[in-house]
Amino acid sequence: MKISTLFTVGLAASVHAQVEMDRLMRLKTDHWNSMRAQGVFNRYDNARLGAAAPAPCVNGKSGPYSCDKVDMLSFLSHSQMGSSTKEGNDIWGWTSPDGREFGAVGQTDGTAFVEIDKSGTLRYVGRLPTQTVSSPWRDMKVVNGYVYIGSEARDHGLQVFDMRKLLSVKGAPKTFSIQNDLTAWYRGFGSSHNIVAHEEKNMIYAVGTSRSSSCKGGLFMLDVSVPANPTSPGCVSSDGYVHDAQCVVYNGPDTQYLGKEICFNYNEDTLTIVDVTNKQSPRQISRTPYAGSAYTHQGWLTSSTDMTFLLLDDELDEQDGTGIAANGRTTTYIFNITTLAAPRHTGIYQSPLKSIDHNQYVKNGLSYQSNYNSGLRIVDVRSVEADPTGAGFRQVGFFDVHPEDDAQGGVVEFSGSWSVYPYFPSGVLLVNSIERGVFALRYTG
């Protein structure tokens, strides 16, 4: 009886989560269709924005953009990067063995590649078209110099592209061939929502694949030790659809998992932690809901060394006005994960502005948050060990890529920045704006 009840509750939760994901995607699609109808994506072509001109943050402004301790080093619009749709999405980066820095810039119709020179100036190097059709959702991660690209585009599969090809591009940008320039095209799944990389273990996890497949949209595992021949050793389907995840070799305080491969999954309505060490037999450790949840989206560990806390962002709480996010201000949820089997929601951080959160990554105690209309927000989270309520968190810098709503104190909608890449050794930050293009920035705090 208990097992039957648990199954019924789990099924109901899964159905509700799918309904919420469908609603979220519909909200975004409707908003972007409205932007297209208004010609928004045609406003930021080429010289109209003074592309590539550096603009230090002075008296709270970097050109037309509000800022604090973040300088604009360079900018390229999506049209300058070869996109005919002129619409952006995700972003990631790669540093070559000799120190050159490149960005993979997601667009609805493909992936553009840029190089950042020593001064922070962006150079458009080339692009890889979408494998099938265009889609607003494209995601990429890099393992050992190969970028792995998935998309919600029909039958897209996984593109595997060797970024070392960029090193020899001189002069005019090159459009790479999806027939001849890919290292591999993996077709073990069709569409996907996000790509998760665990570079240390040569693993890629495609998440948000088809819910009707045997993987149920969970962690679709790919061993990419041989990039030309990705193979799938298994799948995590126990908690259904995974929207995003971070996978690590665990080095935290829960000693029974030391050295294990642990994935922290953001599963639509829960934080779900899974041991994936045995790929043929992964084990779910915990499944933790939280007050105020609307759509559990993404998150990151506050430290890659002690692994005691993580930050979680929810993409619909500001939109739906759930819990403390009813005021519309970007809300970050703090979890103590000292015991992996029993995570505890210990507090929250709220941004000064109204905005929806999307993606965040932590480096050296700073959370680099890409928060749609309010752009890049840099939050000092180093106080979390001393005070896990988040009361000591503070915004230490920002760069607002969407100035249209500044006078209103922010708006809760799906424009502005999609994601940020903060891991270049040079300290340059890349932010991909949906309607504008890619910004090269530097935090000066």
Side-chain angles (χ1 to χ4, degrees):
M1 186 67 176
K2 288 184 178 179
I3 293 176
S4 175
T5 301
L6 286 172
F7 175 78
T8 302
V9 171
L11 180 61
S14 177
V15 171
H16 174 73
Q18 180 173 353
V19 169
E20 289 304 284
M21 178 58 167
D22 291 344
R23 180 169 70 92
L24 174 59
M25 293 179 76
R26 188 168 60 252
L27 285 169
K28 291 183 178 182
T29 300
D30 289 347
H31 179 66
W32 297 331
N33 283 340
S34 174
M35 291 171 68
R36 293 183 192 108
Q38 297 172 51
V40 171
F41 296 107
N42 293 318
R43 294 176 186 169
Y44 308 106
D45 289 358
N46 305 327
R48 296 186 201 177
L49 261 189
C57 182
V58 178
N59 297 325
K61 287 290 184 179
S62 171
Y65 304 105
S66 295
C67 59
D68 179 35
K69 294 190 286 292
V70 178
D71 294 339
M72 184 173 81
L73 305 178
S74 186
F75 170 85
L76 287 173
S77 69
H78 287 301
S79 64
Q80 285 180 296
M81 294 182 287
S83 174
S84 59
T85 58
K86 306 170 188 175
E87 301 173 24
N89 40 62
D90 201 46
I91 193 161
W92 207 247
W94 171 65
T95 302
S96 70
D98 63 353
R100 293 170 67 181
E101 296 177 343
F102 295 87
V105 183
Q107 299 167 328
T108 58
D109 53 353
T111 304
F113 300 109
V114 296
E115 182 172 12
I116 308 97
D117 71 13
K118 298 299 182 184
S119 69
T121 301
L122 293 163
R123 177 176 73 94
Y124 171 46
V125 180
R127 64 183 290 103
L128 180 68
T130 182
Q131 196 66 32
T132 53
V133 296
S134 293
S135 168
W137 290 274
R138 189 171 309 279
D139 202 77
M140 63 286 298
K141 295 295 182 297
V142 176
V143 174
N144 295 329
Y146 293 88
V147 61
Y148 296 83
I149 306 168
S151 174
E152 287 279 8
R154 183 184 67 250
D155 299 325
H156 186 278
L158 188 73
Q159 294 174 310
V160 184
F161 178 79
D162 187 350
M163 293 189 74
R164 282 165 284 259
K165 288 178 178 285
L166 306 176
L167 297 173
S168 59
V169 177
K170 309 293 182 185
K174 177 177 180 178
T175 297
F176 294 95
S177 167
I178 60 173
Q179 287 83 26
N180 302 321
D181 287 315
L182 290 178
T183 300
W185 176 27
Y186 181 81
R187 284 167 277 184
F189 58 84
S191 63
S192 61
H193 196 78
N194 274 310
I195 301 299
V196 178
H198 189 186
E199 189 164 11
E200 189 176 356
K201 291 295 182 179
N202 289 311
M203 289 295 299
I204 286 288
Y205 298 89
V207 299
T209 56
S210 173
R211 293 178 191 265
S212 62
S213 70
S214 59
C215 198
K216 300 179 183 177
L219 292 176
F220 190 108
M221 304 178 184
L222 283 174
D223 183 335
V224 294
S225 299
V226 181
N229 185 33
T231 58
S232 179
C235 172
V236 176
S237 60
S238 56
D239 193 32
Y241 189 97
V242 177
H243 188 274
D244 211 335
Q246 181 184 10
C247 299
V248 300
V249 174
Y250 185 71
N251 188 40
D254 200 340
T255 55
Q256 63 182 309
Y257 295 106
L258 285 174
K260 301 288 189 181
E261 294 175 51
I262 303 298
C263 288
F264 300 92
N265 299 342
Y266 301 92
N267 279 26
E268 302 194 290
D269 56 3
T270 62
L271 166 65
T272 300
I273 303 176
V274 181
D275 182 347
V276 296
T277 309
N278 183 340
K279 304 296 185 293
Q280 287 73 41
S281 185
R283 187 172 73 85
Q284 184 170 301
I285 300 171
S286 61
R287 182 181 187 275
T288 308
Y290 55 96
S293 73
Y295 192 84
T296 310
H297 180 262
Q298 187 260 357
W300 212 252
L301 295 169
T302 60
S303 170
S304 60
T305 53
D306 58 37
M307 299 185 181
T308 54
F309 287 89
L310 62 74
L311 308 177
L312 178 152
D313 46 72
D314 189 300
E315 199 175 3
L316 275 177
D317 55 348
E318 297 91 2
Q319 173 82 29
D320 290 355
T322 59
I324 197 167
N327 60 12
R329 289 163 55 194
T330 312
T331 302
T332 302
Y333 298 83
I334 305 165
F335 282 81
N336 182 317
I337 51 169
T338 300
T339 303
L340 296 183
R344 292 181 293 114
H345 175 207
T346 61
I348 61 99
Y349 164 77
Q350 284 202 310
S351 168
L353 293 183
K354 292 182 178 181
S355 185
I356 300 171
D357 39 13
H358 200 219
N359 292 297
Q360 64 180 316
Y361 301 99
V362 181
K363 178 181 178 182
N364 297 332
L366 299 180
S367 177
Y368 295 84
Q369 301 187 344
S370 177
N371 292 342
Y372 280 116
N373 281 38
S374 66
L376 171 68
R377 300 280 151 172
I378 304 174
V379 182
D380 188 334
V381 301
R382 287 174 290 185
S383 65
V384 68
E385 296 278 352
D387 182 0
T389 68
F393 285 19
R394 60 190 181 94
Q395 179 175 281
V396 294
F398 72 87
F399 190 95
D400 188 342
V401 303
H402 187 82
E404 288 83 353
D405 62 359
D406 285 5
Q408 301 165 257
V411 173
V412 176
E413 62 183 21
F414 301 102
S415 305
S417 62
W418 185 287
S419 197
V420 56
Y421 181 76
Y423 297 114
F424 286 127
S426 67
V428 172
L429 310 169
L430 290 184
V431 173
N432 196 7
S433 158
I434 297 169
E435 65 269 23
R436 282 174 163 84
V438 64
F439 294 80
L441 309 173
R442 186 182 299 281
Y443 173 53
T444 60

